[in-house]
Amino acid sequence: MASTNPLTTYQSSFNLPSLPTVPETDPSACVLDGFRIAIAQLLSDSLGLPIEQAYTGVDYGKKGEDFTVALPRFRLPGKVDELAKKVVEKFTPDEYIEAVVHDKAFLHFRLNTANMIRAVLTQVHDLTHVVPAQRAAESSSTSPVEGIYGKNTSGAGKKVIVEYSSPNIAKNFHVGHLRSTIIGAFLANLYKTCGWEVINMNYLGDWGTQFGMIASGYEKYGNQEALEADAIKHLFDIYVQVNKDAESDPTVKETAASWFKRMEDGDESALANWRIWRELSVKKYTEEYERLNVAFDVYTGESKVGKASIDTALARLEEMNLIEDSNGAKLINLEKYKLGKAVVRKKDGTSIYLTRDIGGAIERYEKYKFDKMIYVVSSQQDLHLSQFFKVLELMDYEWAQPKKASLVHVNYGLVQGMSTRKGTVVFLNQIINEAASVMHDQMKTNEEKYAAVEDPETTAREIGITGVKIQDMAAKRINNYTFNWDRMLSFEGDTGPYLQYAHVRLASLERKNPHLLPIPSPAELDLDLLTSPHTPNRPGILLSS
Ligand SMILES: NC(=[NH2+])NCCC[C@H](N)C(=O)O
């Protein structure tokens, strides 16, 4: 596709007519960008729209349509039917678009499929083989140059922090944290592939009154051995136990509060145990994340937010007259912005979640000078995130102004119904183990195939985890969805096992057909075979599978 492109500076060897340039698009890295531009150009010519505006109106189509345009969104004068007529009359089939169909307020576009297939295959081939080979030849180093298909450099020189997962030590790891982990890791990968420098950050709930509770409970129920064996579980058990005690004994909460106060004041004797708990929990988490193929660059947490930056932030808010006193506690009034009033400091002087987030964001900016920071947190915390973004904005930080769009909350709906056969899910490893065992049972139902699997445990775990991830991603991010273990077992439709199955099949085709590899350039392939009806064992294709 002939168009100057800012990202890959690559010229496809399969040329389609040249197109106007549209900002933020790159046909040389994404073939469909080019087809969308071709549609936009038609709209622009027939309706007199600027090409950029026309482009934003070209959406992916549903139910067999390649692209769809909803005409009313352009807010043009005149009836929709007349507008549609203008477009249809101007249209002649070309190398990009084969047909346009008018249906009420919509125009549906069908692409020239043969050209689209050839353009995609050429791009895959060029960016995987040709371009890397050219680059290797140009460079003085002997190390191989990686393929660049599916990658781009739009984020070069930019830095993004993706904060995700962020469970609370000593409390349960709920499915919301799992969703954050899945979405966050996905985003981090995506940004990386687009050339951004990515910092994977886990902001642990490692501070707060619950640690006062555990500290007091630990004296009674703590056990070194159990702690070392599984810190996450042991601390959780203690937390549950002290909370029970607190129901009948009011002094428990008081003792806990004074413990936490000592921790906040930096009393080393109150902090010693907490340090060990945190370290052992992080170690355990790291292992579990590894099973999900997730790794964090930074384990920070609420405890790491400096007292000084919290104090400075509060002082600044006072100066700006945003703070109100309420029985000794400090409130920030955001009613003007329909965000209510929020406590920023408790009566006893201890900080809280919101204040730590405010201080934390300021520290992160100072340390990393990020271009973007994404918080992947459940929609249950929408208000919290809006409040703290608003406070940062009011504090006049350049980087926190909405027009900069550098602070982003990626929220998501609740997951319902994810329990294991033994009961409710409390820990991440329960989810992983359940996924593995559900899959393992399924695999065993076919004795012959099961016997052929080299390492059934690992295989079951890998497929099981993919099953969980894909089911999570199949649901619309913002909607609540009900998790269903059975759906995960299906090898049909958009499921994790299907994805793994497809990959295994392709890998096997590759393995068994070395004589066909590397696949020749698409110019040498008979691509008509892809659009003709399926004919099994068609002579001429020597594929063993
Ligand atoms: N910066 C943040 N507030 N991140 C989200 C933290 C989530 C929190 N630990 C929770 O489990 O609810």
Side-chain angles (χ1 to χ4, degrees):
M1 213 159 296
S3 89
T4 51
N5 88 81
L7 304 180
T8 49
T9 49
Y10 139 79
Q11 180 80 45
S12 170
S13 51
F14 175 60
N15 284 315
L16 285 170
S18 66
L19 293 165
T21 336
V22 173
E24 316 249 317
T25 71
D26 182 6
S28 78
C30 172
V31 164
L32 288 181
D33 278 5
F35 283 81
R36 270 179 87 177
I37 294 174
I39 297 172
Q41 191 173 25
L42 171 69
L43 295 170
S44 162
D45 291 348
S46 49
L47 300 174
L49 289 164
I51 185 105
E52 293 81 8
Q53 194 193 348
Y55 184 86
T56 57
V58 185
D59 293 319
Y60 288 113
K62 285 191 186 131
K63 295 190 198 135
E65 303 296 346
D66 293 323
F67 285 98
T68 293
V69 171
L71 286 164
R73 70 181 282 166
F74 297 127
R75 298 175 190 284
L76 290 167
K79 296 211 171 84
V80 209
D81 282 352
E82 281 158 19
L83 297 172
K85 203 168 149 221
K86 280 192 193 166
V87 180
V88 173
E89 273 171 6
K90 181 100 190 160
F91 172 76
T92 43
D94 62 16
E95 289 169 89
Y96 290 101
I97 319 163
E98 199 165 82
V100 51
V101 178
H102 171 209
D103 178 18
K104 297 187 195 101
F106 300 98
L107 287 173
H108 301 297
F109 292 88
R110 303 224 174 107
L111 303 186
N112 182 323
T113 312
N115 279 346
M116 202 257 299
I117 292 173
R118 191 172 285 279
V120 169
L121 291 178
T122 305
Q123 187 168 80
V124 174
H125 186 263
D126 287 357
L127 297 182
T128 311
H129 302 291
V130 184
V131 176
Q134 278 164 1
R135 292 195 181 169
E138 282 160 17
S139 106
S140 49
S141 124
T142 50
S143 52
V145 177
E146 261 186 62
I148 50 169
Y149 178 70
K151 298 181 188 168
N152 69 65
T153 52
S154 58
K158 288 193 274 188
K159 200 186 278 181
V160 60
I161 296 180
V162 188
E163 187 218 279
Y164 61 99
S165 198
S166 308
N168 303 318
I169 293 181
K171 290 196 186 165
N172 60 336
F173 186 104
H174 51 77
V175 270
H177 293 123
L178 177 68
R179 237 189 149 188
S180 169
T181 312
I182 294 171
I183 297 169
F186 169 82
L187 286 174
N189 288 338
L190 199 62
Y191 274 91
K192 192 159 173 238
T193 309
C194 295
W196 289 66
E197 181 189 336
V198 179
I199 297 154
N200 290 265
M201 185 179 277
N202 196 327
Y203 180 68
L204 297 168
D206 59 357
W207 204 241
T209 36
Q210 82 259 32
F211 288 93
M213 294 287 272
I214 295 167
S216 61
Y218 199 79
E219 294 186 318
K220 227 159 134 193
Y221 306 111
N223 174 316
Q224 186 67 21
E225 226 172 276
L227 183 74
E228 277 168 25
D230 187 344
I232 295 176
K233 180 170 184 320
H234 187 51
L235 294 173
F236 177 76
D237 288 344
I238 294 175
Y239 186 61
V240 172
Q241 193 57 50
V242 228
N243 270 297
K244 249 192 218 137
D245 295 353
E247 280 170 22
S248 53
D249 178 0
T251 64
V252 173
K253 286 225 157 125
E254 284 159 31
T255 324
S258 67
W259 262 102
F260 182 57
K261 179 85 175 86
R262 279 168 58 205
M263 286 169 69
E264 279 245 320
D265 293 342
D267 177 344
E268 205 36 55
S269 68
L271 285 169
N273 269 341
W274 168 85
R275 264 189 236 295
I276 300 171
W277 301 337
R278 187 185 189 279
E279 192 186 317
L280 291 174
S281 302
V282 168
K283 197 165 145 239
K284 185 93 187 149
Y285 269 126
T286 309
E287 287 165 19
E288 291 175 2
Y289 288 131
E290 212 176 274
R291 303 209 143 167
L292 300 177
N293 203 10
V294 167
F296 288 94
D297 304 302
V298 183
Y299 278 92
T300 177
E302 294 179 42
S303 71
K304 302 273 176 186
V305 181
K307 210 171 165 17
S309 57
I310 291 178
D311 288 343
T312 320
L314 286 174
R316 188 148 167 192
L317 289 167
E318 296 257 19
E319 239 174 73
M320 302 177 85
N321 271 332
L322 290 165
I323 301 272
E324 285 173 13
D325 229 59
S326 158
N327 299 326
K330 287 182 193 301
L331 290 182
I332 178 155
N333 190 337
L334 298 170
E335 269 170 354
K336 219 160 93 194
Y337 311 98
K338 300 211 166 58
L339 294 170
K341 285 186 185 181
V343 183
V344 280
R345 170 154 277 172
K346 282 193 202 160
K347 210 166 153 182
D348 66 1
T350 54
S351 68
I352 56 166
Y353 187 50
L354 179 67
T355 332
R356 289 193 281 271
D357 257 329
I358 297 168
I362 298 168
E363 284 180 1
R364 288 182 204 174
Y365 188 77
E366 275 161 15
K367 180 158 181 196
Y368 298 101
K369 297 277 184 294
F370 54 78
D371 297 278
K372 196 181 257 231
M373 173 152 68
I374 301 175
Y375 292 85
V376 187
V377 186
S378 138
S379 55
Q380 287 173 308
Q381 296 191 32
D382 282 356
L383 178 64
H384 169 78
L385 271 293
S386 309
Q387 285 176 335
F388 110 72
F389 285 5
K390 184 50 104 186
V391 171
L392 291 167
E393 179 196 334
L394 294 173
M395 289 173 84
D396 269 347
Y397 287 108
E398 240 289 280
W399 48 271
Q401 299 310 309
K403 64 173 186 323
K404 286 276 240 175
S406 51
L407 295 178
V408 181
H409 175 203
V410 170
N411 58 358
Y412 52 85
L414 294 177
V415 191
Q416 283 137 351
M418 192 192 259
S419 51
T420 71
R421 288 169 284 193
K422 291 197 193 99
T424 39
V425 169
V426 185
F427 307 116
L428 175 56
N429 66 4
Q430 290 173 318
I431 303 173
I432 298 175
N433 292 343
E434 183 76 1
S437 95
V438 164
M439 199 48 71
H440 203 171
D441 289 352
Q442 169 79 1
M443 283 161 57
K444 282 191 211 149
T445 58
N446 186 329
E447 261 175 58
E448 197 189 322
K449 283 202 179 141
Y450 184 77
V453 182
E454 232 169 72
D455 177 357
E457 306 264 320
T458 310
T459 307
R461 199 179 67 218
E462 292 293 327
I463 307 179
I465 288 170
T466 315
V468 173
K469 285 188 182 177
I470 298 299
Q471 187 164 147
D472 199 273
M473 288 181 170
K476 210 168 173 203
R477 180 167 55 81
I478 197 63
N479 289 353
N480 299 346
Y481 81 96
T482 305
F483 189 85
N484 177 346
W485 290 106
D486 288 337
R487 187 138 64 91
M488 213 185 84
L489 299 176
S490 165
F491 279 80
E492 276 160 40
D494 295 333
T495 68
Y498 176 75
L499 199 66
Q500 292 279 13
Y501 169 76
H503 178 249
V504 165
R505 284 272 299 157
L506 288 171
S508 141
L509 282 176
E510 262 195 334
R511 225 175 23 246
K512 293 184 180 158
N513 297 280
H515 57 290
L516 293 177
L517 295 172
I519 293 178
S521 142
E524 294 161 41
L525 299 176
D526 179 4
L527 298 179
D528 290 345
L529 293 175
L530 287 170
T531 41
S532 65
H534 179 63
T535 32
N537 302 324
R538 183 180 176 130
I541 325 174
L542 300 169
L543 276 186
S544 329
S545 63

